[in-house]
Amino acid sequence: MLEKKTAENVFNEIVETFAENVPKQKSVSFLEGDKSEAVTSQFKRLFGRQNPLHRLLGGGKSADVLLWRNKKISASVLAGATALWVLFEWLDYHFLTLASFALILGMLVQFLWSNASGLLSRSASKPPRLVVPNDLFVKIGKSVGVEVNQALEYLQDVALGGNLKQFLIVVGSLWAAAIIGSWCNFITVLYIGFVAAHTLPVLYESYEDQVDSFGNQVMDQLQHHYHKLDTGFLSKIPKGKLRAKKFE
């Protein structure tokens, strides 16, 4: 019994001395370091983003397709868009020609289905009918109308707001869009935007930290140059005179 007690006492003394020698602040600083790193990484996100990328893209099936959660669906969507672009742009197909061939193919399949089933079996099976719901067009029209009205409202707010920086940014963006439109047609621009929407988000999600770091450096440089431009030229432009005269 005495040997057991002495052994236990020695073991307890060793544990106590080890616990006293180990600095207690390390565990706390480790947790605090994780928290500080999480906070700093949250503030270093591009454009001050705090929500996950999946939530920013809508958080539904469309976000799953853009982020390649299901690779088969995303690849098939991108392949379908590429096939349409090749038909319209490279093979010089027109929309009316392509729609007519698609309708002819659909009618031919239904015709063969209905006649072949009657010849092969006693009871003829009815081929399925394609019916587009009426609410689909109403929803598409409403969503397009809302987006167009929001864009027009934003452009008018920028034009009437008196913020020269925002006004120059919007005008420069529209000018760049006009130059890009002179290089290629509208279908190619739509296809480039579609491919970018299906590739850039997943690449950004894979290399998020590197892109955020590079983007923050670029934003710092742009802000530095804009500060020089503002102090040297933009700040000397009188603001609000035209609006004041208009309201007088």
Side-chain angles (χ1 to χ4, degrees), residues 106-117:
M107 291 179 64
L108 182 62
V109 169
Q110 288 187 340
F111 178 79
L112 293 176
W113 189 332
S114 61
N115 290 284
S117 61

Side-chain angles (χ1 to χ4, degrees), residues 86-151:
V86 169
L87 288 174
F88 287 124
E89 191 66 21
W90 283 9
L91 301 179
D92 292 332
Y93 271 84
H94 298 284
F95 178 75
L96 182 59
T97 304
L98 191 62
S100 299
F101 281 140
L103 292 174
I104 291 171
L105 181 61
M107 291 179 64
L108 182 62
V109 169
Q110 288 187 340
F111 178 79
L112 293 176
W113 189 332
S114 61
N115 290 284
S117 61
L119 294 175
L120 296 176
S121 60
R122 295 180 180 178
S123 60
S125 62
K126 294 182 179 180
R129 291 179 175 269
L130 180 62
V131 178
V132 179
N134 296 326
D135 296 336
L136 178 63
F137 297 101
V138 176
K139 291 179 181 179
I140 292 174
K142 287 183 178 179
S143 60
V144 171
V146 169
E147 295 296 332
V148 170
N149 288 327
Q150 287 181 355

Side-chain angles (χ1 to χ4, degrees), residues 160 240-248:
L160 301 175
K241 285 188 176 181
L242 295 176
R243 295 183 65 187
K245 290 180 180 180
K246 183 178 179 181
F247 286 108
E248 286 178 358

Side-chain angles (χ1 to χ4, degrees), residues 37-49:
E37 288 177 0
V39 173
T40 53
S41 63
Q42 186 178 11
F43 282 105
K44 287 182 181 178
R45 292 304 178 193
L46 196 61
F47 303 111
R49 179 178 61 85

Side-chain angles (χ1 to χ4, degrees), residues 20-196:
E20 289 176 358
N21 291 326
V22 173
K24 295 181 180 179
Q25 294 178 355
K26 286 186 178 180
S27 61
V28 178
S29 62
F30 179 74
L31 294 175
E32 290 178 355
D34 289 341
K35 291 181 180 178
S36 62
E37 288 177 0
V39 173
T40 53
S41 63
Q42 186 178 11
F43 282 105
K44 287 182 181 178
R45 292 304 178 193
L46 196 61
F47 303 111
R49 179 178 61 85
Q50 296 181 0
N51 293 324
L53 185 60
H54 188 271
R55 185 180 298 177
L56 291 177
L57 294 175
K61 294 182 179 179
S62 59
D64 294 337
V65 173
L66 294 177
L67 294 176
W68 291 70
R69 295 290 188 263
N70 191 339
K71 294 182 179 180
K72 292 182 179 180
I73 296 177
S74 300
S76 61
V77 171
L78 189 59
T82 304
L84 289 176
W85 179 72
V86 169
L87 288 174
F88 287 124
E89 191 66 21
W90 283 9
L91 301 179
D92 292 332
Y93 271 84
H94 298 284
F95 178 75
L96 182 59
T97 304
L98 191 62
S100 299
F101 281 140
L103 292 174
I104 291 171
L105 181 61
M107 291 179 64
L108 182 62
V109 169
Q110 288 187 340
F111 178 79
L112 293 176
W113 189 332
S114 61
N115 290 284
S117 61
L119 294 175
L120 296 176
S121 60
R122 295 180 180 178
S123 60
S125 62
K126 294 182 179 180
R129 291 179 175 269
L130 180 62
V131 178
V132 179
N134 296 326
D135 296 336
L136 178 63
F137 297 101
V138 176
K139 291 179 181 179
I140 292 174
K142 287 183 178 179
S143 60
V144 171
V146 169
E147 295 296 332
V148 170
N149 288 327
Q150 287 181 355
L152 292 176
E153 184 178 1
Y154 174 75
L155 293 177
Q156 295 177 42
D157 291 339
V158 171
L160 301 175
N163 190 347
L164 184 60
K165 176 184 176 182
Q166 192 177 13
F167 180 78
L168 292 177
I169 290 174
V170 174
V171 171
S173 301
L174 293 175
W175 187 271
I179 293 175
I180 294 172
S182 63
W183 294 341
C184 52
N185 56 12
F186 185 65
I187 296 176
T188 304
V189 173
L190 286 179
Y191 176 70
I192 293 172
F194 191 84
V195 172

